[in-house]
Amino acid sequence: MKLTIIRLQHFSIQDHSDLQKIWPQADSHRLESQLDERHRLYAARFNERLLAAVQLVITGNEGRLSQLMVREVTRRRGVGLYLLEDTLAQNPHVTRWQIANDGTDGAEAIAAFMQAAGFQFDAELKCYIHQQSR
Ligand SMILES: CC(C)(COP(=O)(O)OP(=O)(O)OC[C@H]1O[C@@H](n2cnc3c(N)ncnc32)[C@H](O)[C@@H]1OP(=O)(O)O)[C@@H](O)C(=O)NCCC(=O)NCCS
């Protein structure tokens, strides 16, 4: 079974259960009701299970990502990087990306991951940014 990155819009019972493991503090039903063309959720699915997810808000050609989270048991296997890269690739009209500095990992680990993903820290905005070249 292949790891695929999907835009989730309507959650199955299994999706709710998986998302509660990814974001234990979140109300997945409320999250689902807030999704629309601007407010999106992308997730990494493997063997019918969600392993990681990220939230995206699109405003014009800008995309703001937040809550990027890979389930602990699946970390350091390339899932986070693939989720981020494929989310960018699925939104080619977005040319300016930001990702909220809202991680739970240490600053060094996040910096190393962001560097691997091609994001740079913007001290003024206090978040990581990525400019897509056309
Ligand atoms: C940060 C996070 C999303 C990374 O996801 P992941 O699937 O574990 O990362 P990947 O396997 O795709 O890592 C890709 C590269 O990033 C770097 N990297 C990732 N995690 C790292 C860590 N803990 N320490 C150092 N470098 C790291 C490495 O260069 C890695 O490549 P390598 O494994 O070949 O060395 C994940 O650890 C996570 O969910 N953390 C908790 C939430 C969080 O802090 N999110 C960040 C929001 S800004």
Side-chain angles (χ1 to χ4, degrees), residues 39-125:
H39 301 84
R40 300 180 179 200
L41 191 159
Y42 288 86
R45 179 176 271 160
F46 184 75
N47 271 353
E48 308 298 319
R49 295 294 167 93
L50 305 179
L51 305 180
V54 66
Q55 295 174 30
L56 167 63
V57 180
I58 297 175
T59 309
N61 66 347
E62 295 197 358
R64 275 188 295 124
L65 295 155
S66 63
Q67 305 292 323
L68 172 64
M69 182 70 72
V70 177
R71 284 185 61 185
E72 215 160 334
V73 287
T74 342
R75 287 186 192 161
R76 286 314 278 274
R77 295 187 195 176
V79 174
L81 194 56
Y82 186 37
L83 172 60
L84 203 50
E85 287 178 347
D86 212 62
T87 299
L88 267 61
Q90 289 187 33
N91 291 278
H93 64 289
V94 175
T95 50
R96 284 168 51 87
W97 290 93
Q98 286 185 17
I99 183 157
N101 198 14
D102 58 2
T104 53
D105 277 353
E108 272 184 31
I110 291 177
F113 173 73
M114 288 301 162
Q115 191 182 4
F119 279 67
Q120 292 176 330
F121 190 69
D122 185 310
E124 214 167 289
L125 296 172

Side-chain angles (χ1 to χ4, degrees), residues 6-12 15 28 31-37 39-42:
I6 48 163
R7 179 180 166 199
L8 272 189
Q9 299 187 72
H10 305 290
F11 304 170
S12 66
D15 292 339
S28 61
L31 189 58
E32 183 180 22
S33 72
Q34 290 168 339
L35 296 177
D36 55 25
E37 275 310 293
H39 301 84
R40 300 180 179 200
L41 191 159
Y42 288 86

